[in-house]
Amino acid sequence: MHDETPESLVGEEHEVEVGPVAHGGHCIARTAEGRVLFVRHTLPGERVVAKVTEGDSGSRYLRADAVEILEPAKDRVEAPCPFSGPGRCGGCDWQHVSPGGQRRLKGAVLTEQLARLAGLTPEDVGWDGTVEPAPGDKVAKGEVPAWRTRVQYAVDEQGRAGLRKHRSHDVMPVDRCLIAAPGVTELGVERRDWPQIATVEAIAATGSNDRQVLLTPEPGGRLPLVELDQPVSVLRADDTGGVHRVHGRPFVRERAIDRTWRVGAGGFWQVHHKAPGLLVEAVMQGLMPRKGEMALDLYCGVGLFAGALAERVGETGAVLGIETAKRAVEDARHNLQDLDRVRIEQGKVEQVLPRTGITEADLVVLDPPRAGAGRQTVRRVASLGPRRIAYVACDPAALARDLKYFTEEGYRVRRLRAFDLFPMTHHMECVAILEPVKKER
């Protein structure tokens, strides 16, 4: 006996009733034969024709696009972006959904991830179930908030800038990205040719006029002379992850919480212009720092939360930031050089934290990468006995997993807030505030 080669099902069409939204920008449906479909470009409750885009007869599930809408949901709108839709630009997930509908979908995903991965209900975590829009993101029907201050364009064989299709290396040339911030659009990246370039990342700082493009050449490619519609600094990435200045500053200056922040190439900064202020406010309201406290800012980036903590713990307090990226650590030290109560250490959190010799802390902020902090780091943080922990998460699955670990270590979620800082996409940002469970006497 030998196994038959699985047969590709790509291109098959199925008329389906669409079920609940799932994490990842799609909804779940089943074919008449009971096969699970992950369908994009649809909404729960719709009846659609779904065309398979990925999968074969041996796959556990198939991916599909809704190519015909037979019964639309009430939250469906005409996609404002001409480049959105099946087989087109993969930058957005929910162009076809009203803004309120998008936030409801995100709320449903967060609720489902908390239940499935942490066994927690919205009531358990002090969350009212809403995903809050950023101030100023409410736009007229059919319009899109231009929130994205950093856009990475891919370049096709003809040298045209565009965005990749969903789960593909194919490039969809665009003449304008609707979610790009005005400062990015003004550069005119899409109106230029980019011969021998693989990607162009355009950055428009908030609170300064700094504009930057980071070019990654094709292997063996030469850098073109860059002439854009606005003054801009130019950096070049090499194939080892290094970044070299071509002309202008090697960083942009961002403004948040009444400070200027230097952010070097590849340094992490929130993409939505309102996000830094909004997240700092949510974290500080939750932690309520007091003078003289000892605080940790883990995965501290260029020092945003460390700076906010330092202001509040005062001269008698202390703040330790830990960050992996060398450039970000240099930036953080530069940004917070006027605050002698702040120390920034470079390295992986799970390696540096045990080495510091710190045995207790009053407050901890964690803002880990998409994969989350993980059990080992959660255990280490809990062992320091902080009275409050603020966990900032860009991925609801990683958040739910880590909250489960915190629960096992004797912490409970006092409050959770979710923010729609990535309109038109399935992403969101959450802030969970944790405290130790009171022990019964």
Side-chain angles (χ1 to χ4, degrees), residues 1-7 57-58:
M1 284 280 294
H2 62 271
D3 290 338
E4 288 178 27
T5 311
E7 175 194 356
S57 53

Side-chain angles (χ1 to χ4, degrees), residues 89-380:
C89 172
C92 292
D93 307 292
W94 303 123
Q95 283 274 349
H96 60 286
V97 189
S98 69
Q102 293 181 39
R103 292 193 289 274
R104 284 190 285 279
L105 290 174
K106 294 180 192 199
V109 167
L110 181 53
T111 302
E112 188 266 336
Q113 296 287 305
L114 287 169
R116 194 163 60 83
L117 298 171
L120 295 168
T121 65
E123 293 75 38
D124 293 335
V125 296
W127 175 48
D128 64 4
T130 61
V131 176
E132 306 170 43
D137 270 0
K138 287 212 159 78
V139 290
K141 194 175 157 68
E143 287 184 21
V144 174
W147 56 270
R148 198 174 182 101
T149 59
R150 289 153 187 257
V151 177
Q152 179 148 16
Y153 296 93
V155 179
D156 71 6
E157 278 86 35
Q158 283 81 53
R160 296 174 302 182
L163 296 157
R164 293 195 195 283
K165 297 178 181 180
H166 182 61
R167 294 176 62 82
S168 164
H169 291 295
D170 294 349
V171 178
M172 169 101 206
V174 301
D175 55 21
R176 181 166 165 228
C177 172
L178 292 184
I179 62 173
V184 169
T185 304
E186 284 161 12
L187 291 174
V189 170
E190 305 101 332
R191 294 189 287 279
R192 294 282 180 288
D193 284 336
W194 299 94
Q196 304 185 39
I197 295 294
T199 63
V200 179
E201 184 175 9
I203 297 168
T206 302
S208 80
N209 286 323
D210 293 354
R211 305 284 180 266
Q212 185 182 83
V213 294
L214 171 59
L215 305 178
T216 307
E218 294 277 6
R222 304 206 15 224
L223 224 51
L225 185 65
V226 178
E227 297 258 328
L228 287 168
D229 297 354
Q230 296 289 329
V232 65
S233 61
V234 180
L235 306 174
R236 174 177 67 83
D238 63 28
D239 42 19
T240 64
V243 173
H244 311 275
R245 189 173 71 91
V246 179
H247 69 77
R249 288 194 189 91
F251 56 84
V252 295
R253 293 161 303 177
E254 300 277 3
R255 278 296 289 177
I257 61 166
D258 297 329
R259 291 179 81 88
T260 296
W261 304 86
R262 185 180 90 183
V263 183
F268 177 76
W269 189 257
Q270 286 284 346
V271 182
H272 192 298
H273 59 109
K274 290 280 173 65
L278 204 58
L279 294 173
V280 165
E281 186 188 354
V283 166
M284 296 305 140
Q285 276 176 359
L287 292 179
M288 295 167 60
R290 303 168 191 154
K291 297 281 184 240
E293 288 196 308
M294 160 68 188
L296 300 178
D297 180 6
L298 308 180
Y299 316 93
C300 70
V302 300
L304 179 69
F305 294 114
L309 286 163
E311 303 278 350
R312 288 163 175 81
V313 300
E315 299 289 335
T316 55
V319 180
L320 171 68
I322 302 177
E323 167 58 42
T324 316
K326 225 151 87 198
R327 268 310 296 270
V329 168
E330 286 167 21
D331 287 338
R333 287 174 179 157
H334 169 87
N335 293 333
L336 304 174
Q337 60 190 343
D338 58 316
L339 299 167
D340 51 10
R341 51 193 173 275
V342 179
R343 193 172 96 221
I344 308 288
E345 295 280 346
Q346 195 234 321
K348 291 190 165 150
V349 169
E350 61 271 23
Q351 290 166 2
V352 175
L353 194 50
R355 282 210 308 265
T356 58
I358 291 170
T359 54
E360 51 186 7
D362 299 299
L363 302 173
V364 179
V365 178
L366 296 105
D367 186 3
R370 190 162 292 281
R375 179 171 264 150
Q376 188 187 347
T377 298
V378 166
R379 189 169 288 163
R380 171 68 60 173

